[in-house]
Amino acid sequence: MDLITFQNSWVPKIQAQLDEQITTDVAQSELQAAMRYAVLAGGKRLRPLLTIAVLETFGVTPDSLLQATDAIELVHSYSLIHDDLPAMDDDQERRGQPTTHVKFGEDLAILAGDALQPLAFQWLSQTNQLSVAQRLELVQALALAAGGNGMVGGQVLDMAYTGADNVTLAQATQVHELKTGALLRYSLVAGGIMAEVDQTTRTALDQFGQAFGLAFQIKDDLDDLGQDDVEDKQAYPTILTVPGAVAALQEQVDVARLALNQISAHCQVSTDLLDAFLQYFDATLEKKW
C-alpha cells in the first residue's frame, strides 16, 4: 500500500472539511480567523488519517464521516496553541510560521484554543450518520484521551520533569504515552467505534495505537538530535543512548505489527493500509547512526 497516495487522496478532503466547517460554525470573525489559522497551518493530519485507515480496513466509506474523523484535529490544534504560549513552551514559530499567540495576541490565542476544544465534541455529537450510542462512545473516548488522565496529564508531567536530572525511562514513557500517545490511540479506537468492530479488535487497535505513539516519540527524539543546545533529559537517546533508542523504536514497530497481525487473523481482513503507516519509521531505523 502506497502511503503517499493515501495521504494525497485524503489530506485535501480533510483540509477542506476543516476550513468549511469552522467557517460555518464560528460566527465571530476574529475568533474564527485565529482558529482557522491554527488548524489550517499545515501538519501531516496523521490522526484523522489513522481513523480513516481503520474505516477503510473494515469496509466503511469515510467520506460521510469526515466531521467525526476530523474532530481530533481540533483538540490537537488547541493543545498546540496552548503549548506554544509564553506560560508553557514560549515558542515563536510553528511549522515555519508565527505561532497563534504571536500572530493574534495571547488573549485571542487562549480563547481560540478554548473554542476549538468544545467544537470537537460538537462535531462528534452532530454526526447523524452514527448512532447515538456511537457518538456517546466517541465523546467519552476523546474526553478521556484529552483530559487529566490523557494528554493534559502528560503535559503536566512534562512540565514537572523539565529541567530535572535523572529522568527515568518509566517516567519519560509515561509522559509520552499521555502527552503524545493518548490522542493517537484515540484515533485508532475511534475508527473502531465508527466501524462497530468487536472488543477484541478494538483492544488490538488500541495496542497498535499505543506502540505507534511511542514509536512516533522515539523517532522524533532521534530526528531532533543535535538541533537543541540544551540536552533534553526526557529524550529517549539521552536515557537509552542512541543505539538503545533505535532498538526501542524497532521494538515498538514490531509490537504495532503484531497487533495488526492479530486483527488480520481475527477479522479476516487485510491490514496492509494500517501497516503502511509504519513506513513512517523506516528512514530513522535505516539511518547509519
Side-chain angles (χ1 to χ4, degrees):
M1 175 62 65
D2 184 355
L3 185 59
I4 300 300
T5 301
F6 176 75
Q7 290 173 323
N8 289 343
S9 173
W10 281 106
V11 169
K13 296 180 184 180
I14 292 169
Q15 199 81 351
Q17 187 278 331
L18 289 167
D19 190 3
E20 179 181 348
Q21 201 67 43
I22 293 172
T23 302
T24 300
D25 288 342
V26 182
Q28 212 287 329
S29 59
E30 288 182 298
L31 179 61
Q32 182 195 112
M35 293 168 69
R36 290 179 67 256
Y37 179 83
V39 173
L40 302 174
K44 295 178 285 292
R45 305 303 182 198
L46 180 59
R47 291 155 188 82
L49 285 171
L50 284 166
T51 304
I52 291 167
V54 174
L55 293 174
E56 289 202 348
T57 295
F58 292 100
V60 177
T61 303
D63 294 82
S64 64
L65 296 172
L66 275 178
Q67 179 173 284
T69 60
D70 291 355
I72 186 65
E73 283 298 277
L74 304 184
V75 173
H76 178 54
S77 297
Y78 121 75
S79 74
L80 298 181
I81 293 173
H82 285 193
D83 210 35
D84 289 336
L85 290 168
M88 300 281 282
D89 287 349
D90 195 16
D91 285 324
Q92 302 298 299
E93 285 191 359
R94 180 172 289 278
R95 304 185 184 111
Q97 300 294 324
T99 49
T100 307
H101 71 271
V102 171
K103 178 81 171 177
F104 292 92
E106 286 183 49
D107 50 358
L108 194 55
I110 292 170
L111 292 169
D114 291 345
L116 283 168
Q117 184 176 192
L119 185 58
F121 296 103
Q122 177 183 324
W123 285 7
L124 290 175
S125 66
Q126 288 178 337
T127 303
N128 295 324
Q129 293 83 356
L130 300 170
S131 70
V132 172
Q134 286 173 297
R135 284 179 268 171
L136 179 59
E137 271 199 282
L138 288 168
V139 166
Q140 184 178 40
L142 183 54
L144 291 170
N149 292 321
M151 178 190 67
V152 173
Q155 290 174 316
V156 171
L157 290 174
D158 185 28
M159 291 189 299
Y161 296 143
T162 297
D165 292 322
N166 302 318
V167 176
T168 67
L169 177 60
Q171 289 171 327
T173 299
Q174 184 183 24
V175 169
H176 301 311
E177 281 187 333
L178 297 177
K179 183 178 179 181
T180 303
L183 294 187
L184 288 168
R185 289 172 71 176
Y186 164 82
S187 301
L188 276 300
V189 172
I193 293 170
M194 293 182 210
E196 298 184 280
V197 302
D198 62 24
Q199 187 57 53
T200 298
T201 305
R202 195 182 298 186
T203 298
L205 286 169
D206 184 58
Q207 291 169 344
F208 175 85
Q210 182 176 23
F212 188 93
L214 282 176
F216 186 89
Q217 185 62 53
I218 297 168
K219 169 188 162 54
D220 195 47
D221 287 351
L222 284 164
D223 292 346
D224 282 347
L225 280 175
Q227 294 186 23
D228 296 321
D229 294 332
V230 180
E231 182 183 49
D232 183 357
K233 300 295 181 63
Q234 297 180 47
Y236 284 92
T238 304
I239 298 170
L240 296 174
T241 73
V242 171
V246 173
L249 174 57
Q250 183 64 65
E251 180 182 5
Q252 293 306 318
V253 169
D254 292 343
V255 169
R257 190 158 279 133
L258 177 61
L260 294 182
N261 291 340
Q262 291 171 345
I263 293 170
S264 181
H266 178 67
C267 300
Q268 300 300 301
V269 296
S270 170
T271 55
D272 286 353
L273 178 55
L274 286 166
D275 190 270
F277 280 82
L278 300 178
Q279 297 169 12
Y280 180 72
F281 308 110
D282 286 350
T284 304
L285 288 169
E286 294 165 3
K287 183 176 178 179
K288 301 301 182 184
W289 295 95

